[in-house]
């Protein structure tokens, strides 16, 4: 007891308790993970909802300048005294340029900056859409149409890289919404163009009015551009080397994906160009034919996000076959039973719309980063849009050669069958 009293109490230092449990490492990991996620959120500059809204506003602008030509084609053909094959170039030229200009777009983005290139492309599309309404000759009509195609080509090729870079875990869903917005722009233009042209007594206002969505798209991408500049300033201490990826010309799966996208675009552009004229020849009014075209674009738009939503697995072959078979059955139906267009035309569009989303997702499935995503997307879109541009021209040529659309429709059947036959070959990326 005396020994114990001899020890001052304040000299006794507390020892670490063997009973106290140390802070769990998992808790530290959670805090670090949450901190990193918060840093990523702040550095991204835009929330997912805001970014998606901007992408939607841009996507809405990427088809009206093409789709609006369908209901106006008879009026344009009569005013400029051109043949059906020549008139089809108003749809084919943009599709060709969407293919050709997709290849150099990744280089342009690296050389001048993605956002600058995107804004120039959207401005080109807007100005050309407006200028085409004042075309006084066949040359100016086709020249402004070519500028429309150039703007769409470059802008469309850059969106996928933005999505892959910022939202890699939600690629299919984002691309589905993006494709849906493209369909929304197509639907609005298809539904409004014919009645508007009839109301004002001419095709020019019906065509030129779609410069307005271009102004909205420019403003939307400026929001993204500001957010990206903020992102770069926040992460300025973590520089990322700016290196490009080689276009995958030697990859068999890239060629299969490009062929799949080509056949689907052959169907899409061919039908967009000739649905209205085909049914006008069968006795429909221009307004009713425009509504039929709108039913096509509406069903296309409905299928876009659905394909992205249900295609959760990396192996998408089953979903690819589902949508490909739907479009094939619909085209067979209008070839054999042309009396029910308001049922079978949307059925075709549903299959084509789902296939379009999946065709846009396939390049991103095989890309490891945003640079690779731009390269794969440029390759697939370049070949796909270029080959798809043959749709309006080939169908128009068949119409002029045979005096009807029977052969043209059976060409669509063959294309739809070939697309379905690729389903089992589009294997997922290994490793």
């Amino acid at each position: 007891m005396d020994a114990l009293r001899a020890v001052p109490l304040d000299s006794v230092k507390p020892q670490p308790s063997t009973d106290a449990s140390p802070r769990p490492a998992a808790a530290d990991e959670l805090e670090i993970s949450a901190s990193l996620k918060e840093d990523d959120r702040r550095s991204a500059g835009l929330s997912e909802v805001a970014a998606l809204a901007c992408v939607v506003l841009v996507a809405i602008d990427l088809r009206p300048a093409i789709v609006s030509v369908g209901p106006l084609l008879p009026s344009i053909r009569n005013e400029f005294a051109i043949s059906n094959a020549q008139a089809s170039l108003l749809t084919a030229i943009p599709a060709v340029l969407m293919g050709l200009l997709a290849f150099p777009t990744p280089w342009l983005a690296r050389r001048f900056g993605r956002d600058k290139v995107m804004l120039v492309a959207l401005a080109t599309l807007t100005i050309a859409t407006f200028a085409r309404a004042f075309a006084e000759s066949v040359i100016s009509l086709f020249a402004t149409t070519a500028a429309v195609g150039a703007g769409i080509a470059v802008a469309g090729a850059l969106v996928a890289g933005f999505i892959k870079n910022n939202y890699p875990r939600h690629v299919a869903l984002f691309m589905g919404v993006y494709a849906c917005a493209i369909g929304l722009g197509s639907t609005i233009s298809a539904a409004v163009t014919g009645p508007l042209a009839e109301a004002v007594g001419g095709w020019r206002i019906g065509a030129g009015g779609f410069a307005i969505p271009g102004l909205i798209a420019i403003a939307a991408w400026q929001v993204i551009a500001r957010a990206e500049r903020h992102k770069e300033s926040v992460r300025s201490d973590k520089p990322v080397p700016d290196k490009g990826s080689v276009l995958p010309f030697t990859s068999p799966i890239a060629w299969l994906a490009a062929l799949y996208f080509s056949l689907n675009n052959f169907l899409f552009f061919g039908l967009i160009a000739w649905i209205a004229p085909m049914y006008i020849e069968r006795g429909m009014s221009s307004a009713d034919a425009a509504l039929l075209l709108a039913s096509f674009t509406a069903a296309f738009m409905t299928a876009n996000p659905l394909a992205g939503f249900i295609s959760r697995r990396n192996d998408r072959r089953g979903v690819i076959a589902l949508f490909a078979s739907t479009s094939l059955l619909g085209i067979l139906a209008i070839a054999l039973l042309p009396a029910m267009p308001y049922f079978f035309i949307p059925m075709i569009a549903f299959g084509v719309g789902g296939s379009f989303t999946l065709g846009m997702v396939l390049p991103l499935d095989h890309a490891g980063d945003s640079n690779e995503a731009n390269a794969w997307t440029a390759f697939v879109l370049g070949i796909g849009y270029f080959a798809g541009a043959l749709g309006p021209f080939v169908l128009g040529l068949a119409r002029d050669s045979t005096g009807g659309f029977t052969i043209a429709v059976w060409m669509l059947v063959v294309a739809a069958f070939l697309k379905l036959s690729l389903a089992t070959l589009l294997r997922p990326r290994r490793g």
Side-chain angles (χ1 to χ4, degrees):
M1 292 291 295
D2 292 338
L4 288 174
R5 290 193 190 99
V7 181
L9 291 176
D10 57 357
S11 67
V12 179
K13 296 181 180 180
Q15 298 298 317
S17 172
T18 56
D19 295 333
S21 300
R23 179 179 175 82
D28 292 333
E29 291 176 0
L30 287 174
E31 281 190 7
I32 293 171
S33 177
S35 176
L36 289 174
K37 287 180 180 178
E38 179 66 16
D39 288 344
D40 287 343
R41 186 190 65 78
R42 285 196 300 265
S43 64
L46 281 179
S47 67
E48 289 187 1
V49 173
L52 194 56
C54 291
V55 168
V56 164
L57 291 174
V58 170
I60 287 173
D61 185 44
L62 297 183
R63 289 299 180 272
I66 299 176
V67 175
S68 61
V69 169
L72 302 175
L73 209 54
S75 299
I76 295 172
R77 188 179 61 222
N78 292 335
E79 180 171 334
F80 289 96
I82 55 180
S83 67
N84 284 298
Q86 290 173 318
S88 71
L89 294 176
L90 295 173
T91 303
I93 287 173
V96 167
L97 288 173
M98 286 164 70
L100 290 178
L101 293 182
F103 293 114
T105 294
W107 177 85
L108 290 172
R110 293 193 303 273
R111 176 66 179 81
F112 300 103
R114 184 201 63 204
D115 295 326
K116 288 181 181 178
V117 173
M118 173 65 88
L119 290 170
V120 169
L122 292 174
T124 301
L125 170 58
T126 303
I127 294 168
T129 301
F130 185 74
R132 186 168 58 178
F134 296 93
E136 295 295 337
S137 66
V138 174
I139 293 176
S140 60
L141 179 69
F142 287 143
T144 50
T145 297
V148 163
I152 293 173
V154 175
L158 292 175
V159 174
F162 168 76
I163 292 173
K164 179 71 175 180
N165 186 50
N166 291 280
Y167 310 102
R169 295 183 180 180
H170 306 290
V171 162
L173 182 59
F174 266 64
M175 292 304 293
V177 174
Y178 167 66
C180 178
I182 290 178
L184 177 61
S186 300
T187 301
I188 293 171
S189 59
V192 169
T193 301
L196 180 60
E198 287 187 359
V200 299
W203 64 270
R204 296 181 183 274
I205 293 179
F210 289 104
I212 295 174
L215 299 176
I216 298 172
I218 291 170
W221 199 266
Q222 284 178 331
V223 172
I224 289 177
R226 283 195 296 269
E228 292 288 290
R229 286 195 296 271
H230 173 67
K231 176 180 177 179
E232 290 174 3
S233 66
V234 170
R235 294 185 174 180
S236 59
D237 59 329
K238 301 175 183 178
V240 177
D242 184 15
K243 60 179 182 179
S245 292
V246 179
L247 295 173
F249 281 104
T250 59
S251 170
I253 192 66
W255 281 102
L256 289 173
L259 179 57
Y260 170 80
F261 198 61
S262 298
L263 291 166
N264 199 61
N265 280 322
F266 183 93
L267 297 175
F268 176 79
F269 287 112
L271 288 163
I272 282 292
W274 292 111
I275 283 175
M278 179 168 63
Y279 281 94
I280 287 172
E281 284 192 8
R282 293 176 178 177
M284 272 191 181
S285 67
S286 295
D288 287 342
L291 288 176
L292 181 61
L293 180 59
S295 75
F296 177 92
T297 55
F300 181 93
M301 176 183 65
T302 302
N304 293 148
L306 181 62
F309 180 77
I310 66 176
S311 183
R312 300 294 186 87
R313 299 173 57 190
N314 192 36
D315 188 348
R316 307 184 194 277
R317 287 176 291 179
V319 184
I320 288 170
L322 172 65
F323 285 99
S325 60
T326 301
S327 56
L328 174 59
L329 290 174
I331 295 170
L332 273 172
I334 66 166
L336 301 172
L337 189 66
M340 299 177 63
Y342 282 102
F343 179 79
F344 291 120
I345 292 296
M347 181 179 178
I348 298 169
F350 191 83
V352 172
S355 298
F356 179 81
T357 295
L358 296 167
M360 296 285 285
V361 171
L362 283 172
L364 304 187
D365 284 343
H366 292 269
D369 54 31
S370 61
N371 287 318
E372 236 184 298
N374 283 334
W376 273 73
T377 300
F379 181 82
V380 172
L381 266 61
I383 294 174
Y385 282 131
F386 183 78
L390 296 174
F393 181 74
V394 169
L395 298 183
L397 196 61
R399 163 63 184 82
D400 285 343
S401 300
T402 63
F405 284 97
T406 300
I407 298 299
V409 172
W410 281 103
M411 287 180 175
L412 295 174
V413 172
V414 172
F417 176 78
L418 291 175
K419 186 182 73 170
L420 176 59
S421 69
L422 293 174
T424 58
L425 302 178
L426 295 168
R427 301 178 183 277
R429 179 180 182 176
R430 293 189 178 93

